[in-house]
Amino acid sequence: MLYLTLECLYTTPSTAMDHVASHIGRAEGLVAMLRGILPMAKAKKLVLPLDITTSCLVVQQDVIEGKVTPALRDAVHEVASQATRHINSATHLYEEALANPTAKDTDPERVRAAAAVFLPAISVKRILDILLEVDFDPFNPALHAPLPPSHAMKVWWKARKHQFY
């Protein structure tokens, strides 16, 4: 969706902004997967990547039963760390494009306009912060509660400043 929105924004493609969108999209997907652990466990399914569950020694039955084990916390931490790395990469690439407008596709006005497309990254970052606060417990109600109204104000403020980080 981010690519499509960027396409609508630009008449010519921007590889720099496409790269930012790629990182944000990956982080969004990883966070959605983490928030989906609870509903999928209720459906008796495990949505974490097999390589991570194997390396962390996660027992599928424990997840389905809603048990928060150290292995599950480690697996959630690993996925959350990957999402955080993607958000950090996106932020770095965006700031780099603003600071070094060398290519025509990194014109500062175009880069600032693209910030509006990347606003979902603010919510992704907030959910990652919540995960950290609840010690990577994917079943904690705080992770599944709607974000507070103050979050909408933060998104509005960041949009006004042409930022998403």
Side-chain angles (χ1 to χ4, degrees), residues 8-158:
C8 294
L9 185 63
Y10 293 137
T11 52
T12 57
S14 168
T15 54
M17 294 302 99
D18 282 354
H19 200 176
V20 173
S22 171
H23 282 290
I24 292 173
R26 288 176 189 166
E28 272 186 296
L30 291 169
V31 166
M33 179 179 52
L34 292 173
R35 288 187 87 190
I37 291 173
L38 175 63
M40 295 305 285
K42 288 179 180 177
K44 301 196 182 318
K45 295 180 180 172
L46 179 63
V47 294
L48 289 168
L50 183 60
D51 61 330
I52 292 175
T53 55
T54 303
S55 69
C56 294
L57 305 174
V58 175
V59 177
Q60 183 175 0
Q61 192 59 36
D62 288 346
V63 177
I64 290 171
E65 292 172 1
K67 294 179 184 172
V68 182
T69 63
L72 178 59
R73 287 182 195 270
D74 289 345
V76 170
H77 178 266
E78 177 60 35
V79 174
S81 296
Q82 289 178 8
T84 300
R85 283 192 292 276
H86 282 296
I87 290 293
N88 291 342
S89 294
T91 302
H92 174 74
L93 290 168
Y94 180 81
E95 288 174 340
E96 193 174 274
L98 270 178
N100 303 314
T102 54
K104 72 173 186 174
D105 71 339
T106 58
D107 171 53
E109 286 304 311
R110 292 180 74 189
V111 173
R112 278 193 286 283
V117 176
F118 306 139
L119 290 175
I122 298 169
S123 298
V124 169
K125 179 80 171 88
R126 179 65 189 124
I127 293 166
L128 289 168
D129 290 343
I130 291 169
L131 266 170
L132 183 62
E133 290 167 12
V134 299
D135 195 29
F136 302 100
D137 174 1
F139 301 118
N140 191 298
L143 182 62
H144 303 284
L147 294 174
S150 61
H151 180 73
M153 287 301 297
K154 181 177 182 176
V155 172
W156 175 81
W157 181 249
K158 294 286 188 175

